[in-house]
């Protein structure tokens, strides 16, 4: 919490390239920690963040506030944080914000090209990317599981999964590429297989399995997770395709933590807990090699420590929560 600014309600507010969306991730991480640990020590900061940051965005007042941003993925991170804050507090205000954000995201479901799917860039109405659609999958399935007798959000989640599964974004190696080509072909663009794109999809499929009791969702999640663990780890330690903090900033330093958070969610849903040891080994590697004397964590979990940002720190918290509180 050393990077938290009480005045703005943001983490690392001096890093304008990523502070807002990553603060949504940080809030989601913080709520996850409090849910799993039973602590409420940071609830005042969580509520402060929502109170301040739900205002209309200076760079996108058209959204009208409540985390409705100029990209569907940025909205999705905050919406998932709202579902966790609702679980933490049982205050329906946060559930209602998440529902409002879902409706906003669905407004950008494409009805003209690629057979559906959310677009990413709202001002330009462009790009079917993986992360926006994965976040929408997890958000809608989560909302269904939080709302008794719901069918609306379940139908949206199944619509998303049907489209995503047929889109070609999951490649022949069972890894998720960044998105689809921006032309009428709408095929896999072959771009980077970021770790978080292998992660958020797992969370969505776990929520769908919880909703329907259909093990095929866990089977698909396991195929993606196995491919990610074998392809995106360096000697057993998860490593981003970009190899340095400088190359990965301002966004990529958070990605590994998001992946591990969702991998732990899948692991908890599987009877044999196949990823438990892998997660624990990554936590041990980061603790021994990526941590400085002030308990800040650098980018590479295999070390050495380099610099701390909100991305590196929230990724470390996600990792430690996954290893010790899941």
């Amino acid at each position: 919490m050393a990077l938290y600014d009480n005045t703005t309600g943001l983490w690392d507010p001096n890093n304008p390239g990523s502070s807002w969306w990553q603060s949504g991730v940080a809030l989601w991480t913080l709520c996850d920690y409090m849910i799993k640990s039973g602590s409420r020590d940071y609830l005042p900061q969580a509520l402060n963040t929502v109170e301040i940051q739900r205002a209309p965005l200076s760079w996108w007042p058209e959204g009208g506030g409540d985390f409705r941003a100029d990209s569907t993925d940025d909205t999705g991170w905050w919406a998932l944080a709202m579902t966790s804050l609702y679980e933490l507090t049982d205050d329906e205000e946060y559930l209602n914000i998440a529902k409002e954000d879902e409706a906003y995201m669905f407004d950008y479901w494409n009805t003209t090209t690629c057979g559906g799917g959310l677009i990413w860039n709202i001002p330009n109405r462009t790009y079917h990317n993986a992360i926006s659609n994965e976040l929408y999958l997890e958000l809608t399935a989560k909302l269904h599981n939080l709302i008794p007798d719901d069918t609306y959000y379940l139908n949206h989640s199944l619509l998303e999964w049907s489209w995503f599964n047929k889109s070609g974004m999951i490649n022949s190696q069972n890894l998720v590429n960044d998105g689809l080509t921006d032309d009428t072909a709408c095929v896999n663009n072959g771009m980077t297989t970021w770790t978080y794109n292998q992660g958020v999809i797992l969370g969505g499929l776990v929520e769908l399995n919880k909703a329907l009791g259909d093990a095929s969702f866990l089977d698909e999640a396991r195929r993606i997770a196995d491919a990610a663990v074998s392809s995106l780890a360096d000697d057993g330690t998860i490593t981003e395709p970009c190899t340095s903090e400088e190359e990965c900033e301002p966004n990529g330093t958070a990605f590994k933590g998001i992946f591990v958070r969702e991998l732990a969610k899948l692991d908890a849903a599987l009877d044999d807990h196949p990823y438990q040891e892998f997660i624990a080994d990554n936590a041990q590697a980061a603790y021994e090699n990526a941590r400085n004397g002030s308990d800040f964590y650098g980018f590479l979990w295999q070390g050495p420590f380099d610099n701390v940002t909100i991305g590196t720190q929230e990724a470390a918290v996600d990792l430690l929560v996954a290893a010790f509180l899941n």
Side-chain angles (χ1 to χ4, degrees):
M1 294 296 290
L3 297 177
Y4 184 74
D5 179 68
N6 200 63
T7 301
T8 64
L10 296 173
W11 282 261
D12 200 14
N14 295 320
N15 187 353
S18 62
S19 179
W20 193 76
W21 82 266
Q22 288 203 17
S23 289
V25 176
L27 180 61
W28 191 26
T29 296
L30 188 64
C31 290
D32 189 46
Y33 163 76
M34 288 191 283
I35 290 168
K36 291 178 177 176
S37 70
S39 168
R40 298 296 183 267
D41 289 349
Y42 302 111
L43 187 56
Q45 289 90 337
L47 300 182
N48 179 63
T49 290
V50 176
E51 181 179 356
I52 296 171
Q53 289 301 320
R54 69 182 297 185
L57 299 171
S58 61
W59 63 91
W60 188 245
E62 296 93 326
D66 282 351
F67 313 110
R68 290 170 291 184
D70 57 347
S71 62
T72 47
D73 60 340
D74 284 6
T75 299
W77 297 116
W78 287 92
L80 281 168
M82 293 302 99
T83 65
S84 292
L85 193 54
Y86 169 66
E87 289 183 285
L88 189 65
T89 64
D90 204 31
D91 186 336
E92 293 216 359
E93 178 180 12
Y94 305 116
L95 181 64
N96 288 335
I97 296 173
K99 291 162 71 174
E100 188 178 23
D101 290 341
E102 183 279 335
Y104 179 76
M105 293 172 76
F106 193 65
D107 280 345
Y108 299 99
W109 184 268
N110 198 333
T111 60
T112 57
T113 59
C114 298
L118 291 188
I119 60 165
W120 166 64
N121 186 314
I122 290 174
N124 295 329
R125 303 293 200 274
T126 56
Y127 195 34
H128 292 76
N129 69 341
I131 196 60
S132 291
N133 285 280
E134 292 179 13
L135 288 165
Y136 187 71
L137 175 69
E138 184 166 9
L139 174 62
T140 48
K142 182 73 173 180
L143 284 170
H144 167 74
N145 289 329
L146 288 173
I147 300 171
D149 302 318
D150 166 73
T151 58
Y152 178 84
Y153 295 109
L154 177 61
N155 288 337
H156 277 201
S157 192
L158 291 171
L159 175 68
E160 174 62 70
W161 173 241
S162 177
W163 177 83
F164 192 96
N165 195 32
K166 296 172 184 174
S167 70
M169 273 192 269
I170 304 173
N171 66 31
S172 59
Q173 288 76 48
N174 289 313
L175 294 172
V176 181
N177 291 96
D178 193 69
L180 303 180
T181 56
D182 264 332
D183 55 26
T184 56
C186 295
V187 296
N188 188 316
N189 61 18
M191 291 176 65
T192 307
T193 52
W194 301 111
T195 56
Y196 77 158
N197 278 333
Q198 322 314 312
V200 176
I201 189 69
L202 307 182
L205 291 169
V206 169
E207 292 290 344
L208 273 178
N209 172 71
K210 181 178 178 181
L212 296 173
D214 183 344
S216 68
F217 295 119
L218 295 183
D219 293 340
E220 180 61 31
R222 192 162 184 162
R223 282 189 287 271
I224 295 168
D226 286 347
V229 165
S230 64
S231 301
L232 300 176
D234 179 10
D235 197 23
T237 303
I238 285 291
T239 305
E240 205 61 51
C242 50
T243 56
S244 69
E245 184 179 24
E246 292 76 15
E247 184 184 347
C248 282
E249 278 291 0
N251 294 317
T253 56
F255 290 175
K256 299 193 301 293
I258 296 164
F259 168 72
V260 170
R261 167 213 285 267
E262 302 282 38
L263 183 67
K265 186 172 181 174
L266 172 61
D267 186 75
L270 296 171
D271 291 338
D272 57 343
H273 305 302
Y275 309 110
Q276 190 172 54
E277 183 177 356
F278 174 79
I279 293 168
D281 288 347
N282 271 261
Q284 187 68 29
Y287 184 82
E288 292 178 353
N289 302 309
R291 181 176 60 99
N292 71 4
S294 300
D295 286 329
F296 287 115
Y297 284 75
F299 172 58
L300 294 173
W301 289 343
Q302 57 268 66
F305 176 85
D306 40 21
N307 297 300
V308 63
T309 67
I310 180 53
T312 64
Q313 201 66 4
E314 68 195 7
V317 174
D318 275 331
L319 174 60
L320 297 172
V321 169
F324 299 114
L325 294 178
N326 204 51

